[in-house]
């Protein structure tokens, strides 16, 4: 069965909105969902020599930019 691109596009758009690029020097990030008090409790994540961190609450993806 061929999938309808109109069904897949909103999903791809949502994933793209959840990717946040940060400076390559960033070691720790704080995520609160970013919805002005309607998000989630603030949580801190460390990159620990990795290039990507995913928030356990909202699924936002923090990616270090390439140098």
């Amino acid at each position: 069965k061929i999938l309808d691109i109109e069904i897949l596009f909103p999903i791809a758009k949502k994933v793209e909105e959840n990717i946040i690029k940060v400076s390559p020097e960033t070691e720790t990030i704080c995520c609160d969902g970013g919805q002005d008090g309607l998000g989630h409790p603030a949580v801190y994540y460390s990159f620990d020599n990795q290039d990507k961190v995913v928030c356990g609450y909202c699924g936002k993806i923090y990616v270090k930019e390439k140098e």
Side-chain angles (χ1 to χ4, degrees):
K1 182 177 177 181
I2 298 174
L3 296 175
D4 188 349
I5 193 68
E6 290 178 11
I7 294 171
L8 294 177
F9 182 73
I11 295 169
K13 184 73 171 170
K14 184 70 175 170
V15 169
E16 184 178 303
E17 290 172 1
N18 273 349
I19 297 174
I20 300 167
K21 294 181 181 177
V22 298
S23 165
E25 293 85 26
T26 303
E27 293 299 324
T28 304
I29 57 101
C30 175
C31 185
D32 63 4
Q35 297 175 354
D36 299 327
L38 298 176
H40 58 71
V43 288
Y44 293 84
Y45 295 99
S46 178
F47 280 95
D48 292 330
N49 297 321
Q50 297 180 356
D51 293 334
K52 177 176 82 171
V53 170
V54 179
C55 177
Y57 278 96
C58 66
K60 284 189 180 180
I61 303 166
Y62 295 86
V63 178
K64 286 186 177 185
E65 292 183 308
K66 302 283 184 204
E67 292 188 53

